Amino acid sequence: FFRQGYEDPHWQYPAASYRDDYPYQSHQRQPVAWQSDRELRQGEPHGKSTSYRDQHYYRGYHPNLATGPPGQDRMQTYDSYEESYTSAARREGAGGETLGSSSGEAGDQPQEPSLLLQYHESGLSSSSHELSQYIRDGADQYDPVLPGAWNVEQAGGPLVPTPTPEVPLKFPQPHTSLCFGAGGQLVLARPHHPAEGKLAHVELHSLEAILQGTKELEELQAFPGPLAREDLHKVDVMTFCQQKIAMGCDLSTQRGRDSALLWKLLVLLCRQNGSMVGSDTAELLMQDCRCQDKYKRQEPAANLLGSTDDEWVSQQPGTLDLITGEVPPIVETQAQIVEKFTKLLYYGRKKDALVWAMRNQLWGHALFLSSKMDPRTYSWVLTGFTSTLATNDPLQTLFQLMSGRIPQAALCCGDATWGDWRPHLAVMLSNKVGDMELNHRAIVTMGDTLASKGAVEAAHFCYLMADIPFGYFGNKADRMALLGSSHRQAFAQFASTEAIQRMEIFEYCQQLRQPESFLLPFQVVYKLLYASRLADHGLPAQALQYCEQISTVLLHQDPATHPVLARQVMKVS
């Protein structure tokens, strides 16, 4: 609580002014004005319960008094110093230095009230202890020099304190200040001092000129975007794609070839106004296909033909044929093989004729004959035929797909020992079977297999062939978010400038076929991000065109459904 008639010391004594402007006085010699002020308050009980402001003063302005050894009470510290002040004042009063007081020694000549009393009566202080630390009367041994913060008027009247806060310097020395301004400008403020008569020096630099020659700026300048411009011709887009193939794809690596394949697909879509068929894609796949010459044929297993190893040896050329009674020649011509096949049928030995045809690669004869027999025999001959093909042969993929199964190539592609994945996709795209769901699942499975092995561009090519929609970066279950870029990596690596440009070209190709179509996930984030990058690199005109294009799309939709996007577009604009 505060004493009646006095003001709150917090409103009168700023801590910074006391610490900075007043030196601490010695505790051994206190001004005698303290005693007269104490006499004014002699009727007041002065104890631990009434010394709140004094305690606050010592805590705020005398930290060396407010802190003591651990365990010592701050009130005890204050009481000990109060007793020392009292004893010092009494010694001074005994020496004859006491000024006028209310005890009654009135002289003939009127005495001028002390400065302490003037401060006290004016209501500027609520504690004589506080004033006694800093103010001395004329009876002291020196003339006081009042601080500038108090603005004491010598003509008399109320004394009004005017605090002057001291703001510390933010930086220890002058330096160049830099910021990015609007319109692709870099603003520099040189360390001059206008207060000392030096003119402020501000420089404006073009970011486009500063970043000239960097890879990022050249990549942005080479792109003919935004692609929704009326003066844009699709030849410009095709030329850009061909330049990316020639300059940005290392065809000596598998990933470089896969990236080039995506750019070639965009060229094909742009040339054909966003439409294509399976044969077009198959031709594109086989242009740069590294076909395996190791698709070796192999002999069917002896157990598959229904004969043991001994029977297999006994039926080799040069041994007596028990059926015809002739010794077959060591080297048989194609006509001799067919003749023997016919002789076996003369005797009604259909199974032996099938084994002979299968053993001598007469698969046409064997398949036709078995197709006119029971289904089990036909399946047996068909299995024997496919067993002669290499495991990574594209014919295996086709026959397995026609048999109603997911081809093994869809589960094993992408491995170096398996070979190139492109012939297998080409044969699936060009030979659609009756079950379209099976075709779709086979192509998606191949894309998932390639993605699991890090071939992102190849996987996205498969997803495009299966018409998989684009998703969002945050949803890791989606298969694609940006064409040719994995959304399972960090966003900075995922949303590269090349990936955004490739995605915009794909959207442009879709709009060539359907002018009103657009990819909402791409509009929401990546075009606005691309516009920000243009502005950051000193290309504000192109950035504004992107913002206008995004705004046009939003106006065709319901802007209330995308409030955050609308605010960000206006902010960047």
Side-chain angles (χ1 to χ4, degrees), residues 464-485:
L464 289 180
M465 297 301 103
D467 295 328
I468 298 297
F470 287 90
Y472 296 87
F473 173 78
N475 189 1
K476 304 306 179 183
D478 293 336
R479 288 185 167 90
M480 289 190 299
L482 279 181
L483 186 59
S485 182

Side-chain angles (χ1 to χ4, degrees), residues 160-394:
V160 179
T162 306
T164 56
E166 296 184 4
V167 180
L169 296 176
K170 185 175 182 180
F171 301 100
Q173 58 185 0
H175 68 287
T176 300
S177 179
L178 179 146
C179 69
F180 293 95
Q185 300 291 332
L186 185 69
V187 184
L188 297 178
R190 297 297 181 182
H192 292 276
H193 301 275
E196 300 177 2
K198 299 180 180 179
L199 295 179
H201 188 65
V202 179
E203 300 178 1
L204 299 180
H205 298 273
S206 172
L207 284 173
E208 184 179 5
I210 293 175
L211 300 175
Q212 195 67 34
T214 60
K215 179 181 177 181
E216 293 80 6
L217 182 61
E218 292 178 352
E219 190 175 18
L220 293 171
Q221 290 175 333
F223 187 65
L227 301 183
R229 296 182 290 112
E230 295 181 356
D231 59 340
L232 177 70
H233 197 276
K234 66 180 184 179
V235 175
D236 300 332
V237 180
M238 296 167 60
T239 302
F240 175 79
C241 295
Q242 292 169 352
Q243 290 176 350
K244 295 297 291 186
I245 296 173
M247 305 298 296
C249 299
D250 185 8
L251 300 181
S252 62
T253 62
Q254 182 65 37
R255 184 165 187 176
R257 293 171 55 239
D258 293 342
S259 180
L261 180 63
L262 278 182
W263 289 112
K264 290 179 181 179
L265 176 63
L266 295 177
V267 173
L268 178 64
L269 289 172
C270 192
R271 182 185 294 116
Q272 300 184 175
N273 293 329
S275 61
M276 61 181 180
V277 294
S279 58
D280 296 333
T281 311
E283 182 182 357
L284 179 65
L285 287 168
M286 299 307 295
Q287 284 180 0
D288 191 30
C289 176
R290 297 185 177 181
C291 294
Q292 296 280 344
D293 295 331
K294 302 176 182 178
Y295 299 146
K296 296 180 179 179
R297 299 292 190 270
Q298 53 190 5
E299 296 293 336
N303 57 358
L304 187 62
L305 296 179
S307 59
T308 62
D309 294 339
D310 295 338
E311 293 174 347
W312 179 268
V313 173
S314 64
Q315 294 172 0
Q316 293 300 317
T319 60
L320 179 64
D321 192 340
L322 300 179
I323 298 176
T324 61
E326 299 175 356
V327 177
I330 301 300
V331 178
E332 294 176 331
T333 62
Q334 186 71 16
Q336 292 173 337
I337 295 173
V338 174
E339 182 181 0
K340 184 172 182 178
F341 175 75
T342 306
K343 287 183 179 181
L344 290 171
L345 291 177
Y346 288 162
Y347 297 95
R349 304 179 63 92
K350 293 181 181 179
K351 185 176 181 180
D352 293 335
L354 288 176
V355 172
W356 173 258
M358 294 167 63
R359 185 178 298 156
N360 292 276
Q361 306 297 324
L362 292 178
W363 293 108
H365 297 72
L367 289 171
F368 182 81
L369 178 61
S370 63
S371 65
K372 302 305 179 180
M373 300 169 66
D374 57 280
R376 183 177 180 181
T377 303
Y378 176 73
S379 178
W380 169 65
V381 174
L382 186 60
T383 303
F385 168 68
T386 56
S387 67
T388 62
L389 301 176
T391 307
N392 57 347
D393 195 325

Side-chain angles (χ1 to χ4, degrees), residues 26-40 85-102 111 114-117 128-129 131-142:
S26 172
H27 301 304
Q28 298 300 325
R29 175 170 177 78
Q30 300 296 331
V32 293
W34 178 83
Q35 181 181 358
S36 62
D37 188 69
R38 287 285 293 176
E39 293 173 357
L40 290 175
Y85 294 156
T86 306
S87 60
R90 289 175 179 174
R91 288 195 300 271
E92 292 179 2
E97 295 181 2
T98 306
L99 297 178
S101 64
S102 61
Q111 296 182 354
S114 65
L115 289 177
L116 179 59
L117 291 177
S128 60
H129 294 285
L131 289 177
S132 65
Q133 300 297 311
Y134 307 111
I135 302 176
R136 292 182 179 275
D137 293 342
D140 291 337
Q141 297 179 358
Y142 63 91

